[in-house]
Amino acid sequence: MTSYITKKTMGDTSWFMKDRFGMFIHFGLYSVPARHEWIKNTEQMTDAEYDKYFEFFNPDMLDAKEWARAAKKAGMKYAVLTTKHHEGFCLFDSEYTDYKVTNTPYGKDIIKEFVEAFREEDLKVGLYYSLIDWHHPEFTIDFLHPLHFHADAEELNKTRDMKKYAQYMRDQVRELLTNYGKIDIMWFDYSYNEEGSYRPPTAKAWMKGKGKDDWESEKLNDLIRSIQPDIIINNRMDIEQDIWTPEQYMPQKWLTHPKTGELVTWEACHTFSGSWGYHRDEMTWKTPDVLINLLINCVSCGGNLIMNVGPTARGYFDKRAENALEVYAEWMKYNSSSIYGCTMAEPEFKAPNGCRLTQSVDGKRLYVHLIEYPYAFLEMPGFAGKVKFARLLHDGSEIIMTEKKVPHFGVGLNENDDLLVLSIPRVKSDMLVPVIELILK
Ligand code: GLC
């Protein structure tokens, strides 16, 4: 077994740390304007201006079974869907608001469709719930709220009571955890009260950010645990929870607890493009090599990766998203053994230049990901005497091993008793990142 001890979690993260790879789905009214899920803020829209998206919300081509099949084919083992984003619109039939999908032309409970379709494909299901709500009448206007630009914003706040909003959140989370069967992850988003967190230049002194006291996070957490004790909760309620969630960047080491230094359970979340919600004209789509390297890097640092798709307003994944998912499908079809049930390699195994290592949690298999394809030989100091057999993962073909020196051409160079040398095919296969599987002694 690998030797890593992670910080104990309240939720059951055992399946999570095995499955490693998930799909995020951001879907809502913002999918209609198709200019980013923050459009109500960035274009300073009032409710009245935003309501046209409610009136015309009708994803007539939405097929959650198709979403689930695409996720499964890409090698994703779980999925998290937005139940309500910052806009406040609910994708489920909540009894606590009229601002919900069952009152739109679409008329059906999307969360119900989602959980049923993904469970049918044996995928775990998670629900994203925005703590922020730019539609709710009791949510006080702060520096992120679309109304914060209006002259009467401060006056308006005197009529708003965040305690009533916190109660609304508890009522809705209770609905989500009671009416849709076993939910594996609750993914909250997000707190912005930390000193030094982003504040726009237009922010006035009274527009303070929000955190655990505004959300009444402890009460919300207790409610969740009382209904579904095994559920995984993320760390964005401004209280410590099960998983840490670095966003749109690639940690270079296993994340540790800021106070205790313990290894934490973590998941990096990324978009395929520069937007979480469908953005028709946004062009910064991650290239295939970045997509695969992100996944390998996360697991090589003991973490998970969740990649986001923003369905179109018609409800389907557009071609660009399909192509990105196909990159994962093609690579995972042959190389998923280096991801599922794997984690960071033991410290005795140092990654050669241009490579990333993962190791099976049972300690028996080590995976060398050839991020930079080596010419002819791969020198691996410290590995001699530890490897029983080596093969390319995608086709199972043997990789010849030599110990102590590079055969033939390397006479007299780099000789060392602990050196293992792998002979590498001169021509790289069409595998985006070839992987060598080392069966350890
Ligand atoms: C950021 C974005 C939000 C998105 C979230 C996903 O908080 O502002 O729109 O839902 O990331 O992690």
Side-chain angles (χ1 to χ4, degrees):
M1 294 298 282
T2 51
S3 58
Y4 300 113
I5 310 292
T6 51
K7 182 174 177 357
K8 177 124 183 54
T9 58
M10 288 163 281
D12 172 15
T13 48
S14 56
W15 66 266
F16 185 79
M17 293 182 75
K18 273 209 281 289
D19 289 352
R20 290 302 184 202
F21 190 29
M23 176 184 274
F24 220 153
I25 305 173
H26 276 66
F27 193 53
L29 299 181
Y30 45 79
S31 310
V32 178
R35 303 195 293 274
H36 197 281
E37 72 282 356
W38 273 62
I39 183 178
K40 193 173 184 181
N41 164 288
T42 52
E43 298 185 13
Q44 301 169 17
M45 290 188 186
T46 62
D47 287 353
E49 289 161 341
Y50 201 77
D51 279 351
K52 59 180 177 284
Y53 305 129
F54 184 92
E55 185 186 347
F56 295 108
F57 185 77
N58 186 13
D60 61 317
M61 293 176 72
L62 195 164
D63 178 351
K65 292 188 170 71
E66 242 174 52
W67 290 2
R69 284 192 293 270
K72 184 164 192 170
K73 186 166 179 264
M76 293 156 165
K77 292 281 193 177
Y78 62 97
V80 177
L81 171 62
T82 48
T83 61
K84 175 187 79 130
H85 203 264
H86 310 339
E87 63 180 8
F89 173 69
C90 298
L91 276 70
F92 60 105
D93 188 17
S94 170
E95 66 175 273
Y96 296 97
T97 181
D98 294 333
Y99 202 51
K100 59 185 177 179
V101 65
T102 39
N103 289 343
T104 68
Y106 184 68
K108 290 178 282 181
D109 187 320
I110 294 176
I111 298 305
K112 183 173 181 301
E113 294 178 318
F114 163 73
V115 296
E116 288 171 358
F118 278 70
R119 285 186 191 125
E120 208 175 292
E121 294 293 338
D122 293 325
L123 300 179
K124 293 277 196 301
V125 293
L127 302 179
Y128 166 110
Y129 186 87
S130 174
L131 299 162
I132 299 169
D133 191 318
W134 296 328
H135 182 270
H136 198 281
E138 300 296 350
F139 190 91
T140 51
I141 299 163
D142 56 31
F143 61 79
L144 292 182
H145 197 292
L147 291 179
H148 94 264
F149 298 94
H150 288 249
D152 58 358
E154 192 172 7
E155 221 25 57
L156 255 179
N157 268 354
K158 290 175 185 157
T159 67
R160 296 181 174 217
D161 179 353
M162 273 301 282
K163 291 208 165 310
K164 289 181 182 163
Y165 174 68
Q167 179 58 53
Y168 170 77
M169 287 204 289
R170 288 194 292 274
D171 292 337
Q172 286 205 317
V173 169
R174 180 186 297 105
E175 287 183 306
L176 289 168
L177 297 183
T178 309
N179 302 340
Y180 298 93
K182 181 169 173 16
I183 303 300
D184 300 291
I185 303 172
M186 268 314 290
W187 216 102
F188 289 100
D189 188 45
Y190 68 97
S191 301
Y192 45 105
N193 60 335
E194 265 172 40
E195 280 313 306
S197 60
Y198 166 74
R199 288 172 67 88
T202 47
K204 297 193 176 67
W206 56 267
M207 296 176 184
K208 69 177 184 61
K210 290 185 171 70
K212 61 181 186 300
D213 297 335
D214 303 286
W215 316 131
E216 298 182 17
S217 297
E218 277 85 3
K219 256 187 183 175
L220 180 54
N221 179 58
D222 293 347
L223 170 71
I224 296 167
R225 297 272 177 224
S226 69
I227 303 172
Q228 299 218 19
D230 287 344
I231 200 166
I232 294 171
I233 306 176
N234 75 339
N235 66 328
R236 297 193 178 184
M237 274 201 281
D238 190 27
I239 56 173
E240 203 167 297
Q241 283 304 334
D242 300 314
I243 58 172
W244 300 59
T245 55
E247 177 173 322
Q248 297 283 42
Y249 92 103
M250 183 54 237
Q252 292 306 306
K253 67 179 185 63
W254 196 321
L255 299 190
T256 50
H257 188 280
K259 293 199 181 73
T260 67
E262 292 169 291
L263 297 176
V264 296
T265 304
W266 64 276
E267 170 197 74
C269 54
H270 279 265
T271 51
F272 279 131
S273 72
S275 173
W276 297 89
Y278 178 68
H279 193 317
R280 183 191 61 211
D281 305 330
E282 210 282 332
M283 297 303 166
T284 62
W285 285 71
K286 292 179 171 80
T287 51
D289 55 323
V290 169
L291 294 176
I292 300 299
N293 288 343
L294 269 179
L295 177 57
I296 295 166
N297 281 343
C298 283
V299 179
S300 71
C301 293
N304 283 29
L305 174 68
I306 188 166
M307 288 304 294
N308 178 78
V309 184
T312 66
R314 298 288 301 273
Y316 62 83
F317 294 170
D318 72 321
K319 226 23 182 175
R320 298 172 298 180
E322 284 187 333
N323 293 341
L325 287 168
E326 186 50 34
V327 167
Y328 280 119
E330 180 58 19
W331 190 83
M332 285 294 274
K333 180 178 170 186
Y334 300 99
N335 301 291
S336 62
S337 314
S338 77
I339 300 296
Y340 301 145
C342 287
T343 187
M344 182 163 83
E346 288 291 316
E348 67 179 289
F349 298 117
K350 297 278 177 281
N353 289 345
C355 298
R356 282 277 184 173
L357 300 181
T358 62
Q359 185 168 4
S360 58
V361 171
D362 65 12
K364 295 178 179 154
R365 291 167 290 122
L366 203 74
Y367 294 96
V368 188
H369 300 80
L370 305 178
I371 311 292
E372 293 166 25
Y373 195 72
Y375 182 70
F377 301 103
L378 186 65
E379 295 177 80
M380 304 186 74
F383 283 72
K386 297 179 182 176
V387 182
K388 204 187 292 180
F389 186 60
R391 57 187 167 198
L392 274 172
L393 186 54
H394 70 276
D395 66 0
S397 59
E398 182 181 14
I399 291 287
I400 305 288
M401 300 188 288
T402 319
E403 297 202 343
K404 298 192 176 48
K405 63 181 176 55
V406 175
H408 322 310
F409 313 104
V411 175
L413 301 176
N414 267 358
E415 294 201 11
N416 199 317
D417 286 345
D418 76 352
L419 181 66
L420 175 73
V421 181
L422 304 182
S423 296
I424 306 294
R426 295 304 193 269
V427 178
K428 179 175 178 276
S429 71
D430 59 3
M431 204 46 60
L432 207 53
V433 176
V435 184
I436 296 173
E437 181 178 49
L438 302 180
I439 311 295
L440 301 177
K441 282 178 179 169

